[in-house]
Amino acid sequence: MLILQTSPQPTKFSLSEDFLSPYYRKGDPFQSLLARSTYLTKYCRGGEVWTDTVRRVVEANLSLASHVDEGEAKMLFHLFWTGQALPPGRGLWTGGIEGIPADARYNCWYTTLYGIDDWCWTANQLMLGGGVGVGLGDVKSLPVVQGQPESRLAIWCLDSHPNVNEVKPNPKSFLNGQTPILRVPDSREGWVEALRAVLTAAFNAKDLIIDVSEVRARGLPIRTFGGIACGPGPLTQLLRSAWNIVRGASGRRLNSVEALDITNYIGLCIKAGNVRRSALIALGDADDQDFRDAKKDMDQVISHRHTSNNTIVFRSWAQIHGFDWKALVHDMAENGSGEPGILNLPLGWQRDPGARGVNPCGEQLLHDREACNLAEVFPAKFEDSTNPDLVFRLVTRYCLRQRLTPLSDSRSQEVGSANMRVGVGLGGLCDFSWTKPQLNRWYSMCREEATRYARELGVNAPITVTTVKPSGTISLLNGSSPGIHAPYASHYIRRTRIAKNDPMAMAMMEAGVPFEEDIYDKSGHTWVFAFPMKSASTLTVQNETIRDQFQRQKDVQEAWADNAVSATLSFSQDETSELADCLKEYVPFLKSTSTLPKAHGYAQAPYEAITPSQYEHLYAQIEHGHPLVRGGDMEAEECSGGVCPVR
């Protein structure tokens, strides 16, 4: 069936009011308080309702190409509105919004750490809301830290600034009048340049003064991108921490854990106060034991190392086949986090020889500075009249159009134009029965449409087209199980985080949602809310074996995903020996994978199993029909081991 009936369209595509009016009359389709709060805090802008949001997303996407059939537009809108397919969180938040940089419209990125510029690039992309994978395997290329002369960093702030106590400024007498002063502008670029200046001075043993007086106070609005400001406190913590780590390596190069800590402090700064989102994966060498041990120090984990998922990288088949998997499982168990995860580059290189790393949740192998671009299809949500082939073709076309906006970073634009990588995801894989031939047929639909549509658009055919993403946030909107994973338990808690001064926090308190203070936010500005959940499925993480989970990931990798499959596979204490055997058996067939003990070491984890009676008690306390409020910025983590993209 042909989708495209080419006919000229204006630059700005618009859906008709006659078509949209029935959807407006139906109201928002969300079936739970968690789904409604997720939409209202993460994707709703201003006074929007769900129909407004989907409309601006679809119209903006269709306006990127010059020939789009009206029937395709209506079908794509209906698929998104009903949750049969959904754009990524980035698409829902930024689609159709003027003034947002093109880079902010992409989900995730990857870069190898060679020098100061890569840390600064990472901070910039994180502040644009995307997740970043950072490869630490080339830290030997970092410059030697100059040992002499001894140098000092001072941070200043006006006494009149509302957050001066969080800054803890140094006295003006701390450095002499000849020391250079950098006054940080109140902008994303200003924060990045402050980080660049501090790292440069630290590596070169130069004195420096940073003045943060112009950074807007905590609680003020961030008008274009949305959300509220976290104040200068998190920035000053980052700058001082990065300075101390670099100067602590005086006379030598940083090691991988020191480089990891600077990366984690960047993530902590951007995540602080629950205002912006940090999504990081740190990639270290498989034989780097110090890196593998980084999350065994729980004080450091609580301090800052919780801001990344950590993964070891294999770069040869010989390394994989000769690896000591039992020792790795020991690390995973001792960490209590199931980390490190695993990246199998030799398998990825069979299709994509230029891949260097992976995005934070492990579903997209990427080149240096490359962005990934995702959407998702939920077959369990298909209506009786839905043509599955048409769905996969339409979502492939949506993803390819999203790549047409030029990126601001020239290296990212060059690699993006060359690869044109897209990621059509399968969601809710545990919500319906499927076979490998069926998945492979759907893959062929996506591959054929991507090649054909790229030719029509005059761009390169995408290097990869299919994936499975975690879907922890997006799946909340339509009540699906997340990605490849079974529901966590028959009864469980789903946690979210939100700033204390966010209006939605008060609304959820009024609705009776249980809450407590976030132990990871040392600023004390964040609440953790706990939503009681009940699964309709008999298959859950708690009753599934580790081998069953590995086999499902392998089947989906082979039949569907030409890129990777994001998976956090849960194992019980009595499965540690089996886990080592499974890793040895399955890793050669998987591009990436990660694990998590069912009895893990994370407090306030995204998921926690509870008893039916606990569920009934918590559920009865909540006013499920509470209207809540619009706006805000609530975090619902997608990956248990770290912090994955939420928009």
Side-chain angles (χ1 to χ4, degrees), residues 163-228:
N163 306 128
V164 65
N165 291 335
E166 296 179 18
V167 174
K168 299 180 177 63
N170 302 101
K172 289 292 182 73
S173 60
F174 189 68
L175 294 173
N176 63 49
Q178 303 303 312
T179 304
I181 301 175
L182 175 64
R183 292 179 173 84
V184 182
D186 185 32
S187 65
R188 180 185 77 254
E189 296 85 354
W191 285 40
V192 171
E193 288 312 305
L195 176 62
R196 188 187 308 278
V198 167
L199 288 172
T200 301
F203 271 99
N204 292 286
K206 302 292 186 181
D207 291 343
L208 181 64
I209 297 170
I210 299 289
D211 188 340
V212 297
S213 301
E214 295 179 13
V215 175
R216 80 188 72 182
R218 178 168 47 83
L220 294 179
I222 302 171
R223 292 180 178 83
T224 301
F225 195 79
I228 52 177

Side-chain angles (χ1 to χ4, degrees), residues 164 166 230 236 254 270 305 313 319 343 437 443 548 637:
V164 65
E166 296 179 18
C230 62
T236 59
L254 297 179
I270 294 163
R305 289 182 187 164
V313 181
Q319 191 180 24
L343 177 62
Y443 165 73
D548 288 342
E637 294 174 7

Side-chain angles (χ1 to χ4, degrees), residues 143-453:
V144 173
V145 179
Q146 296 301 307
Q148 296 295 332
E150 280 306 313
S151 53
R152 295 186 295 178
L153 171 70
I155 296 183
W156 292 353
C157 185
L158 290 173
D159 291 341
S160 58
H161 195 289
N163 306 128
V164 65
N165 291 335
E166 296 179 18
V167 174
K168 299 180 177 63
N170 302 101
K172 289 292 182 73
S173 60
F174 189 68
L175 294 173
N176 63 49
Q178 303 303 312
T179 304
I181 301 175
L182 175 64
R183 292 179 173 84
V184 182
D186 185 32
S187 65
R188 180 185 77 254
E189 296 85 354
W191 285 40
V192 171
E193 288 312 305
L195 176 62
R196 188 187 308 278
V198 167
L199 288 172
T200 301
F203 271 99
N204 292 286
K206 302 292 186 181
D207 291 343
L208 181 64
I209 297 170
I210 299 289
D211 188 340
V212 297
S213 301
E214 295 179 13
V215 175
R216 80 188 72 182
R218 178 168 47 83
L220 294 179
I222 302 171
R223 292 180 178 83
T224 301
F225 195 79
I228 52 177
C230 62
L235 175 62
T236 59
Q237 181 187 15
L238 164 61
L239 300 181
R240 286 187 172 117
S241 298
W243 175 276
N244 290 336
I245 291 168
V246 174
R247 293 310 305 154
S250 178
R252 60 174 176 83
R253 287 185 171 86
L254 297 179
N255 59 43
S256 61
V257 176
E258 290 166 333
L260 170 67
D261 281 338
I262 292 175
T263 305
N264 285 154
Y265 274 115
I266 292 171
L268 185 67
C269 168
I270 294 163
K271 180 177 180 287
N274 210 51
V275 176
R276 296 181 187 269
R277 288 294 162 263
S278 148
L280 285 168
I281 191 168
L283 307 181
D285 289 337
D287 58 0
D288 185 345
Q289 192 62 48
D290 289 339
F291 176 80
R292 285 164 55 172
D293 290 344
K295 287 203 172 179
K296 294 178 181 178
D297 187 334
M298 286 307 298
D299 288 340
Q300 296 299 310
V301 170
I302 292 174
S303 167
H304 57 279
R305 289 182 187 164
H306 65 278
T307 61
S308 69
N309 293 317
N310 292 350
T311 285
I312 55 173
V313 181
F314 292 96
R315 292 183 169 85
S316 73
W317 289 113
Q319 191 180 24
I320 291 174
H321 294 308
F323 193 70
D324 187 344
W325 296 106
K326 290 183 179 179
L328 182 64
V329 170
H330 176 77
D331 290 344
M332 292 172 171
E334 188 173 348
N335 285 346
S337 64
E339 294 185 57
I342 295 161
L343 177 62
N344 178 352
L345 279 180
L347 182 60
W349 286 335
Q350 291 179 358
R351 181 178 293 273
D352 184 2
R356 295 296 309 277
V358 72
N359 74 321
C361 285
E363 73 268 26
Q364 292 280 290
L365 273 65
L366 300 169
H367 296 204
D368 272 335
R369 299 289 178 97
E370 188 179 9
C372 64
N373 173 42
L374 311 173
E376 201 163 10
V377 177
F378 296 89
K381 300 297 181 182
F382 285 172
E383 297 172 342
D384 292 341
S385 60
T386 296
N387 178 345
D389 292 355
L390 181 61
V391 178
F392 286 104
R393 290 181 181 275
L394 286 174
V395 174
T396 301
R397 294 162 66 85
Y398 165 86
C399 288
L400 199 53
R401 284 191 294 266
Q402 286 294 98
R403 289 225 74 109
L404 298 179
T405 305
L407 296 169
S408 59
D409 181 86
S410 59
R411 289 174 59 188
S412 296
Q413 175 61 22
E414 181 179 358
V415 69
S417 297
N419 292 345
M420 292 301 293
R421 190 186 308 274
V422 299
V424 179
L426 271 178
L429 274 153
C430 289
D431 297 339
F432 68 101
S433 297
W434 50 267
T435 64
K436 291 182 69 174
Q438 180 186 43
L439 298 190
N440 193 251
R441 183 175 180 279
W442 287 344
Y443 165 73
S444 296
M445 294 295 103
C446 297
R447 179 71 268 178
E448 291 169 6
E449 188 63 30
T451 301
R452 193 191 69 78
Y453 195 35

Side-chain angles (χ1 to χ4, degrees), residues 510-514 614-624:
E510 292 175 354
V513 181
Q614 287 174 312
Y615 167 82
E616 296 294 343
H617 174 72
L618 293 171
Y619 188 87
Q621 297 178 32
I622 297 174
E623 182 187 342
H624 298 279

